[in-house]
Amino acid sequence: MAGSWTCTLDELVLATGGMALSKTHASFSRVSTDTRDDLKGRLFIPLKGDKFDAHDFVTQAVEKGAAAVVVQNIREEWRPLFARASFIKVGDTLQALQGLARFWRRKHKYKVIAITGSNGKTTTKEFTYALLKPHFRVHASKGSFNNHWGVPLSILAADSSHTHLVLEMGMNHAGEIWKLCAIAEPDVSVVTTVGRAHIGELGSQANVAQAKEEIYVATPKATHVFNVDNEWTMRMQTRSHSKQIQFSSFRPKVDVSLRAQKMNWDGLEISGTIQGVNGQASVPVLGRHNVVNLMAAAALGLAAGLSPAAVWKGLGAITDSAWGRNQMLKLQNGGRVLFDAYNANPDSVHALIKNLYEMEIEGRKFLILGDMRELGEFSEAAHEEIGEKAAAIPFEAVWFIGAFAKSFWKGFEKCRPAPLPFSSAQVEAGIAKKFLDLLRAGDLVAIKGSRGMELEHVLDGWPLATPLGSKP
């Protein structure tokens, strides 16, 4: 049963360091930054970006029933609204949101689990939530609410009945994870992997690792969960002096060790040891790469208070459910679509290609790839490398969508002639139709690319027997 959510105006002033311009309502229920939400009785915090300023919607927020508003300037047109809603003036509304989230986290003494990594952080978050949900009142950040405003909103979405928060933390630049940890004050921290995501912004994989390691350095009193199969996170482990839980598929004497014994349409058959308890489980998730995410979730479950037996039992109930992440969709003609286009970087595309290589299917294999973004000067080489990897699989046809098609095909054709090659700058309905016409019962087409490529539009008009669902 849901708990209560009420914050007083005095608490808001204390948390934000603001000044009350009016005290029409002494409290509010919930927080919103979007006037499209139901604002009745809520606090509205207008955020200001480079290209927008939600202060322009303050009047609309009050008209929709907001009980309180935090603003960082005063407009004359708002003065008549002071009689309808409490107004608090602050120096910066984003900092006010973050300060209120820190206050809320401390007030309710949640056990906070923080997850970052180049790959798998959202999937690990979902797996961890699934493990904890039968045992605790747990709240998890929705979608990829993992940045400077998403993390505070995720904390503020929890109510008084919750005991555990599972938060995803993303970054594009050094210092961002540190700041998110200062807001969330995690009790448990993990870096799932360090790869080449965001290498374009940070310049090297070593810089990516240093930025990710902030989640450990900023939380010296937390339990640190380590992937000791990844060379970068293994180095982090040697520098940590906090309580540790380690996971690995290959190293002995770790807390969690799992391996996939079998992979098919139905998922993974895994076996291994969790804190000395041997076991096996059938997990309905696709892809051998998910073993890392399952081990991370299992280790986080232990850190949160689950017994090894409870973790083993919970692994079998985990499913792939997040939009655009390893979604297996059925076509009405009996073919299948592996839709994994929420995001992409070289490591995640390598993992997909490896899974496709290992997966035995009744029919033929097809591939649709889009640009991997945020790689900067490494973009051409990375796409060429992906082309070489893709050439190892006898795809019936391949369609590359984006600006780096030339680099991809250069790599591919180093190894063998391209099979039915298609290229386009963006999704084109005509090519999508040609691809659909090629597919028969038993065939598999995998779709992967960065979120900005909007590859879901490939499926516009495709006769899906399994719905794609609503994008986050």
Side-chain angles (χ1 to χ4, degrees), residues 15 87 120 188 202 228 271 289 296 312 367 398 447:
F87 273 69
V188 184
L202 290 159
V228 291
S271 64
H289 66 285
W312 272 119
L367 180 65
V398 178
I447 304 176

Side-chain angles (χ1 to χ4, degrees), residues 171-173 197-204 207 373-376 378:
M171 47 73 67
N172 292 314
H173 300 91
H198 307 301
I199 197 171
E201 287 89 351
L202 290 159
S204 71
N207 289 344
R373 294 185 170 180
E374 298 182 343
L375 296 177
F378 304 95

Side-chain angles (χ1 to χ4, degrees), residues 17-312:
M19 177 180 67
L21 302 177
S22 67
K23 298 183 178 181
T24 308
H25 296 284
S27 64
F28 55 91
S29 176
R30 302 275 178 189
V31 178
S32 181
T33 60
D34 192 334
T35 53
R36 290 172 294 185
D37 295 338
D38 179 3
L39 297 180
K40 189 173 182 180
R42 292 193 177 194
L43 169 67
F44 176 66
I45 302 181
L47 300 180
K48 187 175 182 180
D50 294 333
K51 297 181 180 179
F52 71 93
D53 186 353
H55 284 77
D56 296 337
F57 300 97
V58 165
T59 299
Q60 182 180 344
V62 175
E63 290 175 346
K64 289 191 68 175
V69 183
V70 170
V71 296
Q72 65 186 50
N73 55 56
I74 302 173
R75 299 182 186 179
E76 286 301 315
E77 71 225 47
W78 296 339
R79 293 194 181 276
L81 303 177
F82 288 4
R84 300 170 60 185
S86 299
F87 273 69
I88 303 296
K89 186 180 183 302
V90 297
D92 183 283
T93 52
L94 176 59
Q95 290 180 16
L97 174 69
Q98 295 168 344
L100 182 59
R102 184 186 301 111
F103 170 86
W104 194 250
R105 180 259 183 274
R106 290 176 177 175
K107 178 180 179 179
H108 295 285
K109 297 180 174 61
Y110 301 121
K111 191 174 188 71
V112 176
I113 298 165
I115 302 167
T116 193
S118 298
N119 296 293
K121 54 184 175 291
T122 302
T123 302
T124 298
K125 178 199 68 181
E126 296 295 335
F127 289 178
T128 304
Y129 175 75
L131 282 179
L132 298 182
K133 189 177 179 181
H135 306 277
F136 306 108
R137 277 284 297 163
V138 57
H139 172 75
S141 51
K142 65 179 183 179
S144 288
F145 268 43
N146 62 18
N147 62 5
H148 54 290
W149 55 263
V151 168
L153 285 174
S154 295
I155 295 171
L156 291 166
D159 62 40
S160 61
S161 72
H162 288 114
T163 59
H164 290 62
L165 303 187
V166 184
L167 303 177
E168 177 182 339
M169 293 185 176
M171 47 73 67
N172 292 314
H173 300 91
E176 291 180 276
I177 296 292
W178 189 285
K179 187 167 187 177
L180 295 177
C181 287
I183 298 167
E185 299 179 342
D187 299 290
V188 184
S189 307
V190 68
V191 179
T192 56
T193 61
V194 173
R196 287 176 284 177
H198 307 301
I199 197 171
E201 287 89 351
L202 290 159
S204 71
Q205 200 164 356
N207 289 344
V208 172
Q210 186 175 9
K212 295 293 185 186
E213 192 173 6
E214 292 173 10
I215 203 169
Y216 296 130
V217 178
T219 59
K221 295 182 180 180
T223 298
H224 292 173
V225 173
F226 287 103
N227 174 2
V228 291
D229 285 339
N230 181 276
E231 61 173 312
W232 298 100
T233 53
M234 186 170 59
R235 293 174 192 173
M236 296 176 194
Q237 182 271 324
T238 64
R239 292 190 286 268
S240 169
H241 300 290
S242 300
K243 181 181 177 181
Q244 296 184 12
I245 294 179
Q246 299 177 16
F247 65 88
S248 167
S249 289
F250 309 105
R251 296 180 180 275
K253 298 180 181 179
V254 293
D255 298 278
V256 177
S257 182
L258 303 176
R259 300 193 74 170
Q261 303 300 328
K262 184 179 178 182
M263 177 178 70
N264 55 33
W265 290 116
D266 298 318
L268 298 170
E269 297 289 335
I270 62 171
S271 64
T273 303
I274 297 175
Q275 282 189 338
V277 178
N278 295 328
Q280 56 188 18
S282 298
V283 188
V285 299
L286 290 168
R288 195 177 296 274
H289 66 285
N290 267 318
V291 173
V292 173
N293 303 325
L294 290 168
M295 288 193 294
L300 292 171
L302 294 174
L306 295 185
S307 67
V311 174
W312 272 119

